[in-house]
Amino acid sequence: MTTVLTPASPLTAADRCDRCGAQAYLRVVLMSGGELLFCAHHGRKYEPDLKKVAAEIQDETERLTASPSSASDD
């Protein structure tokens, strides 16, 4: 997926996929205005079509494979 770095706010657990309701990891800003949110699965599924209509794509799917920060030992 093509990533465009924008000053957009990070996606949170409250952001849900417009297709299935799962947590969103992609924000697609449309050339016509407006935006769509997708989970990683649907983002990959619709990637070819999204690239045709997207002005920007904010891709945070790397968060799915990132290691959590280790807890401090107190």
Side-chain angles (χ1 to χ4, degrees):
M1 183 124 288
T2 303
T3 303
V4 176
L5 299 176
T6 63
S9 59
L11 294 166
T12 69
D15 294 310
R16 310 312 286 182
C17 176
D18 289 325
R19 183 72 177 131
C20 70
Q23 183 172 348
Y25 288 94
L26 287 105
R27 174 181 286 127
V28 180
V29 178
L30 304 172
M31 286 187 269
S32 61
E35 69 180 24
L36 296 171
L37 300 176
F38 291 99
C39 63
H41 165 78
H42 285 112
R44 283 189 301 271
K45 181 176 179 178
Y46 298 117
E47 178 180 7
D49 293 325
L50 291 172
K51 286 182 174 181
K52 295 175 188 175
V53 298
E56 299 179 26
I57 297 176
Q58 178 182 350
D59 183 355
E60 296 184 11
T61 55
E62 76 280 350
R63 292 177 30 213
L64 293 168
T65 57
S67 299
S69 301
S70 56
S72 62
D73 297 336
D74 289 328

